[in-house]
Amino acid sequence: MSEKGYKKITYDIASPNLPVANILLIYTGGTIGMGASESGKLVPYDFKKMLKHIPEINTYDLHITFISFKEPIDSSDIAPIHWNHIIETIADYEKDHDGIVILHGTDTMAYTASALSYALNGLNKPIIFTGAQLPITVPRTDARENLLTSLEIASAKTKDGTPVVPEVCIFFNHSLVRGNRAQKMESVKFNAFRSANYPLLAESGVSIRYNYSSIMPFNKKGNSKIRIPNWFLGVAILPVFPGITREAVLAVLDNPSIKGVVLETYGSGNAQTSEWFTSCIKNAVKNEVLIVNVSQCVGGEVMQGMYATSAHLEEAGVVSGSDITVEAAITKLMFVLGSEKSYKNAINRMLEPICGELS
Ligand code: ASP
């Protein structure tokens, strides 16, 4: 795996008591592990240096295996190849571990969590992404609380010994959010993530209160065979706005390398009805470009046909994204188009939830 730019720096923390769970902790980078460089800019720190700032980790009755990216990165540099590095690591180690915690920058955490929710669907294990708004080296950091609570959630088991949260999530600032419903909404305050159109899966305070009815049930017949996805990269996001030109629309829709588009529309899925715009959409659909309608609104859902300003999209063959987020929609397009050759089947897969990303 190291040829792929991913080095396993493995060392274990073994509790002196019988460990209640085995946890795999993967460090990819992000603010949580950053420190100031000589030029004063924040850059990712080495993993071992980072852990020195959180000695509390040694007090848990857990056995923790640490794995780090060879070069920890700012999550703005994350690409599908890195998703696969994480998936490969999980495939290599998951059998001996009850839960997985992934330290990741917040900027693209919702994309990675969405992508991994599809790729690891059926694994039936807690996969908890977390990070921080302030580096772990800073006294007032949020890293400590985020990491320690994520470890607790990843190791939580029911009376039957099954995991309490057998799905991909983000834990941040006291809230546990389904990974493919998460959106980064705040770059300064600690409440970086929100859950779009879905309840929180848990909240932490004096204790961790789980919202059992919203958590994906443990599937006894779960599929633990992990396949490395072939992410299809010919996708794009096209937000509409008043004054958008034909040239801008065609640059995306009339581009032979683009086969999947998230069309970010107004309100409940509306866009202009001008003849040129409608014909750009129709031509793209005729050329088997899979267009998914996702709203620019932060809440609610797409209801194609409710207004005349969305009926033309429905008629043209645009697929309704219902209440999916842009992050979950674009990664789902990459996942589906990477494995599905038939246009019709790909449309059907976009309409159906894979793992709770749409209602
Ligand atoms: N730029 C950082 C990153 O996404 C921000 C963060 O981690 O909060 O890696």
Side-chain angles (χ1 to χ4, degrees):
M1 206 178 284
S2 42
E3 325 81 80
K4 295 175 186 158
Y6 194 87
K7 187 169 129 197
K8 293 170 187 165
I9 304 172
T10 312
Y11 56 100
D12 299 345
I13 286 185
S15 126
N17 303 320
L18 199 60
V20 293
N22 290 320
I23 300 295
L24 175 64
L25 180 54
I26 303 175
Y27 174 51
T28 68
T31 297
I32 189 165
M34 289 190 186
S37 66
E38 275 166 26
S39 67
K41 291 195 184 65
L42 284 178
V43 290
Y45 248 19
D46 160 64
F47 194 51
K48 284 186 192 161
K49 258 196 223 163
M50 189 191 112
L51 283 177
K52 279 202 190 113
H53 292 271
I54 185 154
E56 300 89 333
I57 207 166
N58 298 294
T59 64
Y60 277 114
D61 285 343
L62 295 175
H63 178 272
I64 305 174
T65 310
F66 297 93
I67 307 282
S68 173
F69 269 24
K70 184 178 180 185
E71 302 283 351
I73 53 175
D74 187 298
S75 79
S76 302
D77 281 323
I78 287 273
I81 179 116
H82 302 107
W83 300 341
N84 285 352
H85 289 330
I86 302 171
I87 296 165
E88 282 167 11
T89 307
I90 293 175
D92 285 350
Y93 284 82
E94 65 85 13
K95 287 213 168 45
D96 305 325
H97 292 85
D98 303 289
I100 297 137
V101 173
I102 303 171
L103 303 178
H104 192 289
T106 58
D107 287 346
T108 61
M109 195 187 285
Y111 292 89
T112 305
S114 297
L116 262 64
S117 75
Y118 308 131
L120 300 173
N121 182 31
L123 188 64
N124 265 318
K125 288 201 175 168
I127 299 176
I128 316 295
F129 280 84
T130 197
Q133 295 282 58
L134 271 180
I136 206 156
T137 46
V138 173
R140 223 162 38 72
T141 183
D142 51 335
R144 192 164 290 112
E145 147 72 14
N146 287 347
L147 172 53
L148 295 177
T149 310
S150 296
L151 289 171
E152 289 192 29
I153 293 171
S155 51
K157 291 179 192 167
T158 65
K159 281 193 219 105
D160 307 342
T162 59
V164 173
V165 189
E167 58 172 305
V168 177
C169 305
I170 291 181
F171 178 78
F172 217 93
N173 190 47
H174 311 293
S175 298
L176 185 70
V177 178
R178 173 167 291 163
N180 54 36
R181 293 284 187 165
Q183 290 194 298
K184 183 169 179 181
M185 59 155 189
E186 173 61 57
S187 62
V188 177
K189 295 185 198 147
F190 286 152
N191 56 336
F193 290 92
R194 71 183 201 103
S195 181
N197 297 317
Y198 200 74
L200 294 178
L201 302 186
E203 283 180 89
S204 69
V206 172
S207 60
I208 301 171
R209 280 197 294 159
Y210 292 98
N211 179 3
Y212 291 98
S213 60
S214 299
I215 296 172
M216 207 154 280
F218 180 80
N219 178 359
K220 285 199 198 94
K221 291 195 216 111
N223 159 33
S224 60
K225 178 109 191 70
I226 298 176
R227 279 194 204 91
I228 306 299
N230 171 27
W231 304 100
F232 182 80
L233 302 184
V235 294
I237 300 172
L238 175 62
V240 298
F241 55 90
I244 191 169
T245 61
R246 191 166 178 269
E247 290 68 33
V249 170
L250 286 179
V252 176
L253 293 185
D254 190 24
N255 181 331
S257 68
I258 304 288
K259 285 286 160 209
V261 174
V262 173
L263 184 69
E264 264 198 74
T265 55
Y266 310 123
S268 54
N270 309 317
Q272 61 173 291
T273 53
S274 64
E275 216 171 284
W276 71 260
F277 183 79
T278 311
S279 89
C280 288
I281 298 277
K282 278 188 181 157
N283 282 337
V285 172
K286 207 169 87 204
N287 292 331
E288 301 204 333
V289 177
L290 204 168
I291 307 178
V292 184
N293 187 348
V294 178
S295 175
Q296 294 174 13
C297 286
V298 292
E301 62 183 307
V302 164
M303 286 179 279
Q304 282 191 162
M306 181 175 173
Y307 292 90
T309 45
S310 65
H312 64 313
L313 301 178
E314 179 79 12
E315 278 156 29
V318 171
V319 174
S320 167
S322 178
D323 60 356
I324 200 169
T325 63
V326 168
E327 293 87 335
I330 193 79
T331 49
K332 186 173 177 181
L333 269 177
M334 294 164 95
F335 182 72
V336 167
L337 292 175
S339 63
E340 189 59 73
K341 296 288 160 264
S342 142
Y343 183 62
K344 214 169 142 218
N345 291 351
I347 288 177
N348 290 336
R349 286 179 65 186
M350 290 308 295
L351 287 166
E352 286 295 317
I354 296 177
C355 47
E357 73 282 8
L358 53 88
S359 303

